[in-house]
Amino acid sequence: MIPVERSMKGCGASGNNRRAAARSPPCSSGVASEREIMAVALTLLALLIEAMAGYPDRLVRSIGHPVIWMGSLIAVLERRWNRKTAAPALRRTLGAVAVVLLVGIVGVAAFIIERGLLILPFGLIGVGVIASTLIAQRSLHRHVARVADALDNAGPASGREAVSHIVSRDTNALDEAGVARAAIESLAENFSDGVVAPVLWMIIAGLPGAAIYKAVNTADSMIGHRTARFQAFGWAAARFDDLLNLPASRLSALLIIAAAATKATSASVAWRAVRRDAPHHRSPNAGYPEAAMAGALGLALAGPRIYAGVHVDDAFMGNGRYAAKTSDIRAALGLYCRADAILIGLVAMLAAALIAIG
């Protein structure tokens, strides 16, 4: 949240006198600020708009998408600054400068858009429409459902093609179980990265908070890889993304566990899987929603995988079945929908509470 200049409102400022106190009411920690109410209301509005309408494909084809625009800027910076002939230390420094520049440009643009629209009648609706593009509830469900449909209708080859659009691992050698597991892992991780994290940062800092998060997350997905080309240049993007996703990944796991509470045993198994397995994942964040999903569905997710020809021997999340099925993808989608509904409900409750005390 953008900090309130309390010293300008007569609260705790040095040299306050009776005249200043008469002009300004004393601060109350139990009163929600207009900015806080706006940020939560914006988040709820964005969630509802995205859940109902998503981002139409015709808009992607005609004007692109905010993530595509961010990705274009990242690609330009990477091409110009990530020189193979440069020393690793210089490439790491330039990568950090690129992230700072990206955050600055995106944050300032989002701040100007938000403030400019909010001075207009019904401007919050306009900000909500823009903010909804930074959340991926509907598109995530659609892409994962396509994998299940492809496996059911056309077999493993079609499933591999469909899942290649949502995972970065090598998919050429995946069998039906491997495709199903990859889809479920992507659903779990992207619930955190694509839904919960932007929602959380939007609550904290409005449109600029969500936009900055999305910019960093996009940078991590493009350059935050442990390869010869990106190991140094993408270091800052990867570490910053890890930091920003830290709270959302834990919250995502709790939401999945809560969604699994319709079956008490599933919820308890999911909780144990998170506590036992999540800290051993190669990512400091992805293991939490993946372990929760694995435990809730009775699966074993993660484990050994291949990225860009490199074998990665990761820990397993959950201790259930390794051979996932198409039915498991659909069960995971149901769990995801319930977890997302809980998230929307929590944001709505927070908005109502802030309005009541504000």
Side-chain angles (χ1 to χ4, degrees):
M1 191 68 64
I2 296 175
V4 177
E5 294 293 340
R6 295 190 180 275
S7 62
M8 297 179 65
K9 296 186 178 293
C11 175
S14 60
N16 278 351
N17 53 31
R18 293 182 181 179
R19 182 181 173 191
R23 284 200 309 265
S24 304
C27 292
S28 171
S29 59
V31 177
S33 71
E34 182 179 344
R35 176 67 181 170
E36 291 169 336
I37 295 173
M38 186 282 297
V40 179
L42 169 64
T43 305
L44 179 60
L45 183 60
L47 278 165
L48 294 175
I49 291 172
E50 203 281 331
M52 292 185 292
Y55 192 86
D57 289 339
R58 62 180 179 275
L59 282 183
V60 177
R61 291 191 296 268
S62 59
I63 65 171
H65 185 278
V67 170
I68 296 175
W69 307 335
M70 295 172 189
S72 297
L73 175 58
I74 295 163
V76 169
L77 294 173
E78 193 273 333
R79 283 196 303 269
R80 294 188 176 182
W81 291 355
N82 189 22
R83 304 290 185 181
K84 292 182 179 180
T85 55
L90 177 59
R91 294 170 76 180
R92 179 178 289 197
T93 300
L94 290 174
V97 173
V99 171
V100 171
L101 184 61
L102 172 70
V103 166
I105 292 173
V106 171
V108 169
F111 179 80
I112 292 172
I113 291 170
E114 181 184 80
R115 288 302 176 95
L117 287 175
L118 287 178
I119 64 176
L120 301 175
F122 306 106
L124 182 62
I125 296 176
V127 182
V129 170
I130 294 172
S132 71
T133 67
L134 304 175
I135 304 172
Q137 303 163 104
R138 193 179 182 92
S139 62
L140 176 58
H141 186 282
R142 184 173 67 249
H143 280 91
V144 175
R146 282 176 181 169
V147 178
D149 292 340
L151 285 173
D152 278 340
N153 299 329
S158 181
R160 285 192 291 269
E161 195 281 330
V163 83
S164 68
H165 295 284
I166 60 173
V167 298
S168 57
R169 75 190 66 179
D170 295 349
T171 60
N172 294 333
L174 294 179
D175 57 9
E176 182 174 351
V179 170
R181 291 171 62 253
I184 296 169
E185 291 164 18
S186 180
L187 177 65
E189 183 176 358
N190 282 290
F191 175 51
S192 176
D193 292 1
V195 179
V196 179
V199 163
L200 187 60
W201 288 108
M202 197 179 297
I203 289 173
I204 294 171
L207 182 64
I212 288 172
Y213 165 77
K214 205 67 179 180
V216 174
N217 186 245
T218 303
D220 175 61
S221 68
M222 292 179 64
I223 64 175
H225 306 298
R226 299 174 185 177
T227 62
R229 177 177 176 180
F230 297 120
Q231 181 78 39
F233 188 79
W235 176 86
R239 298 290 78 76
F240 196 15
D241 182 70
D242 287 343
L243 179 63
L244 293 182
N245 275 302
L246 198 68
S249 61
R250 277 68 176 172
L251 177 57
S252 299
L254 293 176
L255 290 168
I256 292 171
I257 293 169
T262 52
K263 295 182 179 179
T265 54
S266 296
S268 61
V269 172
W271 173 253
R272 288 196 297 271
V274 169
R275 295 191 61 187
R276 181 189 63 239
D277 302 329
H280 302 294
H281 198 283
R282 65 194 290 263
S283 164
N285 296 311
Y288 286 85
E290 284 186 20
M293 187 71 78
L297 298 176
L299 296 173
L301 299 177
R305 287 160 289 178
I306 299 175
Y307 293 90
V310 178
H311 183 85
V312 175
D313 190 17
D314 200 3
F316 280 103
M317 301 292 107
N319 57 4
R321 290 179 291 110
Y322 184 79
K325 307 172 184 176
T326 306
S327 59
D328 292 313
I329 301 178
R330 301 199 187 280
L333 285 168
L335 192 64
Y336 160 75
C337 288
R338 294 195 296 275
D340 188 53
I342 293 171
L343 174 64
I344 294 173
L346 290 175
V347 175
M349 291 170 59
L350 178 59
L354 289 177
I355 292 171
I357 67 175

